[in-house]
Amino acid sequence: DVGCGYEAARQMRRRGRIAPQHWPHVVAASRRLGIAGVSYEWLAGRAAMQRAAVMQGEAA
């Protein structure tokens, strides 16, 4: 639904993050499928939280 191959989708799931170049497709697919709450703002917020967690881990 987001226009990427199986391996790319598998890697994003394994890492627990969606590559930013896929965000437009994820938002569009979510709207098309009626999945509420998925927006650019939500994706950006998740990415920021993950970056902060990584930075905290590196500082420890």
Side-chain angles (χ1 to χ4, degrees), residues 1 6-8 16-17 20 24 27 32 35 44 47 51 54-55 59:
D1 284 331
Y6 174 80
E7 186 60 27
R17 72 176 185 87
V27 171
R32 199 171 48 252
I35 300 170
R51 279 191 303 274
V54 167
M55 291 176 70

Side-chain angles (χ1 to χ4, degrees), residues 5-46:
Y6 174 80
E7 186 60 27
R10 190 176 75 78
Q11 290 298 322
M12 286 187 282
R13 181 174 182 168
R14 185 183 62 79
R15 287 190 305 263
R17 72 176 185 87
I18 299 169
Q21 66 265 27
H22 296 294
W23 290 7
H25 302 290
V26 170
V27 171
S30 298
R31 288 183 183 149
R32 199 171 48 252
L33 297 170
I35 300 170
V38 179
S39 65
Y40 290 103
E41 293 81 11
W42 182 79
L43 290 166
R46 283 188 48 92

